[in-house]
Amino acid sequence: MADGREPPPLEEEDSQKDEDDLFTEASEKETAPPDQEIDLSDEGRTPETEPEKVEPEVTENTRKPVKPDIDTEDLFGDDADDGDEIKLDSDGENDTNETVGKSPFLEPFEPAPASAPAQTEVVSSDEEEKPSTDTPKLTVTQTTTSTSKASSATKTTKEEVEANQYTLVIKVTEPQKMGDGMSAYMVYKVITKTSIPDFRKPELVVLRRFSDFLGLHEKLQTRYLHQGRIVPPAPEKSVLGMTKIKMSKEESGALDFVERRRLTLERFLTRTAQHPLLRKDIDFREFLERDGELPKATSTSALSSAGVKRLFHKVGDAVDKISYKMEEADEWFEEKQQQVECLDTQLRKLHSSMESVVGHRKDLSNNTAAFAKSAAMLGNAEEHTALSRALSQLADTEERIEQIQREQADHDFYVMAELLKDYIALLGAVKEVFHERVKSYKNWKDAEVTLTKKRENKAKLELANKTDKISQAKQEISEWELKVEKGKDDFEKMSAMIRKEVARFDRKRVEDFKSSIIKYLEYLMENQQRVIKCWEAFLPEAKAVA
């Protein structure tokens, strides 16, 4: 029985030995006589039983990366826990020496507790401790930044919600011509309906002339522009339009100009009322609720001394924009200024195209009216009864279509063209705010230059040993240090306010364009349906001609 038994394979016996004795044991078994019985009782096995696989001892010198074809039974066995612990603060230098503990297959089966924060293993090496101390700092910084941005956005939203708790609706109606000749002027009725408790009445009606609107805008701009607030622009003066009104005995020749100005004044007051701060201004409230005439705003006249000063001031600002270039360190302001310039260019092109569309619609309306008259005259001259009746019906249909086309042209102008013109002016107000920021920066840097000169002067006095002037130099240095600090604080506050105002401007711009485009398309589709109905009504008359 022992003679017929074959020795077990060498690979099975080699797995039970240490790595140092692998080759020696194999050589001894190869030289053993064939009739020698191999006793397996020492290892507790029989020939029929499957030998138990034992993993060889893993040392630092024999560690190898885990191959993709690893046995899943060994993967989830007890031997899988013999690997090294995962080091969270590893810098990637010893990745090749990691064993099964680094395997991604083990991570889902040993999740970290959700409530416990991630901890790193204590390592004696100083180089491995540095990444673990730097990484949390970056996380905290990012969290703080995102939290500050979120709180800023929440603050803006709260301010707007607080302003929207009360209603303030303003209408400008019934323009009237007062006086005759060159001393004539226009007066507009301003109707205000509000639920704000600061107003003395829920409904107010006052009469205001055009110069009152300009005076209100100047007061608001003087008070809030240097703070970084965007003040809605007032309507532009039109010498030609006012001359037509003053010289014409009948107002029919200037109805378009008067209606256009009325809508522009109404939008100016509405945009001011929508601002959460400007709506609380004392001058704005006085404009809406004071009975009688307001003090005449003489500074709004182009020929007054204030008007001349304002003209020189604009020229000086234009020269400063060309001569002084601010070194912009904030990428947001640089991108936003480029966006505003691009938007202004595109809006001007769109406004020009929209005015062309309005002009073409008016020309089409006039040509349709001329065609209707010609068709009516042809119908009167036609002897064929059915054809004469059909031509008369065609003339009536064209007259109705001409009216629809004229209404569409007016709607295009007042809904889209005027909206684009308003936002071109609003972008001008945004540019003025950006320019005020540049002026604030320039004042701050000029103060720093002056402070440097004062310190150099003090150093010269100390070298010259002029003790009688050193005290005065120190006092001047202290004053200019305060000016520098105030200039820096004003610049930072203005920058933060401009960010807030521009964000509000962008939100309002999207809302206005959305509502106006929807209104424009709905009215356009409605008019198309009206045109279709006109032609459907005329079609039986055309078919009846025999």
Side-chain angles (χ1 to χ4, degrees):
M1 181 175 180
D3 297 334
R5 184 184 305 144
E6 300 239 351
L10 295 178
E11 293 180 359
E12 295 182 0
E13 180 139 356
D14 291 345
S15 62
Q16 303 174 10
K17 304 295 182 178
D18 293 336
E19 294 179 358
D20 297 338
D21 300 333
L22 288 178
F23 298 101
T24 57
E25 292 291 334
S27 60
E28 290 176 2
K29 290 181 179 180
E30 289 177 357
T31 56
D35 58 346
Q36 184 178 357
E37 182 178 357
I38 300 174
D39 188 10
L40 300 175
S41 61
D42 296 339
E43 298 179 2
R45 293 182 306 184
T46 61
E48 291 80 13
T49 59
E50 184 71 16
E52 183 180 358
K53 296 182 180 180
V54 179
E55 291 290 336
E57 182 179 357
V58 181
T59 61
E60 290 294 331
N61 297 328
T62 60
R63 288 180 179 175
K64 298 181 180 179
V66 178
K67 297 182 180 179
D69 56 348
I70 186 171
D71 191 2
T72 55
E73 294 181 359
D74 294 338
L75 186 65
F76 302 105
D78 295 334
D79 295 339
D81 296 332
D82 295 335
D84 294 341
E85 295 183 4
I86 300 175
K87 297 182 181 180
L88 299 179
D89 56 345
S90 176
D91 54 356
E93 295 178 357
N94 300 325
D95 290 344
T96 56
N97 295 333
E98 299 298 329
T99 57
V100 182
K102 283 278 188 175
S103 176
F105 300 100
L106 296 181
E107 293 180 3
F109 301 94
E110 294 184 0
S115 59
Q119 296 181 356
T120 57
E121 184 180 359
V122 179
V123 185
S124 60
S125 177
D126 295 338
E127 297 180 356
E128 295 183 355
E129 290 181 358
K130 290 182 180 180
S132 62
T133 56
D134 294 339
T135 303
K137 290 183 179 179
L138 292 175
T139 305
V140 171
T141 304
Q142 294 173 357
T143 305
T144 307
T145 306
S146 60
T147 305
S148 62
K149 290 182 180 179
S151 62
S152 178
T154 306
K155 183 178 180 181
T156 304
T157 305
K158 287 182 178 179
E159 185 179 358
E160 292 182 356
V161 170
E162 182 180 356
N164 293 332
Q165 289 179 354
Y166 303 100
T167 59
L168 182 60
V169 181
I170 303 174
K171 296 292 182 181
V172 179
T173 60
E174 301 180 13
Q176 303 174 9
K177 181 180 178 181
M178 307 295 291
D180 296 324
M182 296 302 296
S183 61
Y185 59 92
M186 296 299 298
V187 172
Y188 303 86
K189 181 183 288 187
V190 181
I191 303 175
T192 305
K193 296 181 180 180
T194 180
S195 61
I196 300 177
D198 295 338
F199 286 83
R200 55 186 179 87
K201 292 181 182 180
E203 185 172 353
L204 304 163
V205 179
V206 294
L207 295 177
R208 296 290 179 259
R209 55 189 298 177
F210 181 72
S211 59
D212 296 333
F213 289 87
L214 297 181
L216 173 63
H217 173 262
E218 185 179 2
K219 292 177 182 178
L220 295 176
Q221 194 172 31
T222 304
R223 187 171 300 163
Y224 297 106
L225 183 60
H226 68 278
Q227 299 179 6
R229 300 282 184 177
I230 299 176
V231 180
E236 297 179 355
K237 291 184 177 182
S238 177
V239 179
L240 181 61
M242 285 304 301
T243 303
K244 290 181 179 180
I245 294 175
K246 292 179 180 181
M247 299 303 295
S248 62
K249 295 181 179 180
E250 297 181 357
E251 299 180 1
S252 58
L255 283 179
D256 291 341
F257 171 77
V258 173
E259 180 65 16
R260 190 183 307 175
R261 172 167 284 187
R262 182 193 68 80
L263 292 174
T264 308
L265 293 174
E266 183 175 300
R267 286 192 294 268
F268 164 67
L269 294 180
T270 301
R271 296 186 193 281
T272 306
Q274 291 174 349
H275 197 283
L277 180 64
L278 300 182
R279 69 189 303 181
K280 300 178 183 178
D281 185 78
I282 184 173
D283 290 324
F284 182 64
R285 286 172 47 197
E286 183 183 13
F287 177 88
L288 296 177
E289 65 181 0
R290 178 174 177 176
D291 295 330
E293 296 183 358
L294 292 174
K296 189 175 181 180
T298 57
S299 60
T300 59
S301 177
L303 301 178
S304 62
S305 59
V308 175
K309 291 181 180 179
R310 186 168 58 252
L311 179 61
F312 280 107
H313 181 69
K314 290 183 179 179
V315 173
D317 289 344
V319 173
D320 290 340
K321 290 179 181 179
I322 299 174
S323 60
Y324 183 79
K325 296 296 182 181
M326 173 182 172
E327 296 180 0
E328 186 61 69
D330 195 330
E331 294 181 358
W332 184 90
F333 279 96
E334 186 176 0
E335 294 177 358
K336 189 59 66 173
Q337 289 178 5
Q338 294 177 358
Q339 178 185 353
V340 169
E341 291 293 340
C342 180
L343 184 60
D344 180 67
T345 302
Q346 299 302 324
L347 284 180
R348 291 182 184 276
K349 292 181 180 179
L350 183 59
H351 178 257
S352 178
S353 301
M354 199 67 207
E355 284 188 334
S356 299
V357 171
V358 173
H360 288 312
R361 288 193 191 279
K362 289 183 178 180
D363 293 340
L364 178 61
S365 175
N366 295 332
N367 293 331
T368 303
F371 176 78
K373 291 179 181 180
S374 300
M377 294 175 65
L378 180 61
N380 293 333
E382 179 61 45
E383 295 180 356
H384 193 281
T385 305
L387 182 57
S388 176
R389 185 172 57 250
L391 290 174
S392 299
Q393 290 292 334
L394 177 61
D396 295 339
T397 302
E398 291 290 348
E399 287 180 357
R400 291 195 295 269
I401 292 176
E402 181 268 335
Q403 183 64 27
I404 294 173
Q405 291 171 347
R406 185 169 296 276
E407 292 176 0
Q408 183 64 48
D410 294 338
H411 190 267
D412 292 350
F413 177 79
Y414 291 117
V415 173
M416 290 301 299
E418 288 296 289
L419 174 71
L420 296 173
K421 185 178 179 181
D422 283 350
Y423 266 93
I424 291 172
L426 282 170
L427 287 177
V430 175
K431 292 180 182 179
E432 289 184 2
V433 171
F434 284 148
H435 181 59
E436 285 294 322
R437 177 174 174 270
V438 174
K439 291 167 63 176
S440 177
Y441 178 83
K442 184 175 181 297
N443 294 334
W444 172 30
K445 292 303 177 181
D446 289 345
E448 287 185 345
V449 172
T450 306
L451 177 60
T452 303
K453 291 181 180 179
K454 294 294 182 181
R455 288 174 175 171
E456 292 176 355
N457 186 31
K458 176 178 171 293
K460 291 179 181 179
L461 293 176
E462 290 177 349
L463 292 175
N465 199 15
K466 296 181 180 180
T467 57
D468 54 337
K469 296 182 179 181
I470 292 179
S471 59
Q472 182 180 358
K474 290 181 179 179
Q475 184 178 357
E476 292 178 355
I477 289 175
S478 301
E479 293 176 357
W480 281 101
E481 285 177 349
L482 294 176
K483 291 182 180 180
V484 169
E485 184 177 355
K486 183 179 182 301
K488 180 181 179 181
D489 186 59
D490 292 342
F491 175 76
E492 292 177 351
K493 287 182 179 179
M494 178 177 288
S495 300
M497 183 58 64
I498 290 175
R499 284 175 175 267
K500 182 179 177 181
E501 288 287 303
V502 171
R504 179 186 170 276
F505 168 79
D506 288 338
R507 290 193 300 270
K508 192 63 182 174
R509 174 174 56 86
V510 173
E511 294 175 2
D512 288 347
F513 271 85
K514 177 183 176 181
S515 61
S516 298
I517 290 175
I518 291 175
K519 185 178 180 181
Y520 169 74
L521 293 177
E522 288 178 348
Y523 194 80
L524 182 63
M525 295 172 63
E526 180 183 350
N527 285 339
Q528 294 296 328
Q529 293 293 333
R530 292 169 61 188
V531 172
I532 292 173
K533 290 180 180 179
C534 290
W535 288 117
E536 288 178 347
F538 170 73
L539 185 59
E541 285 292 335
K543 291 181 178 180
V545 178

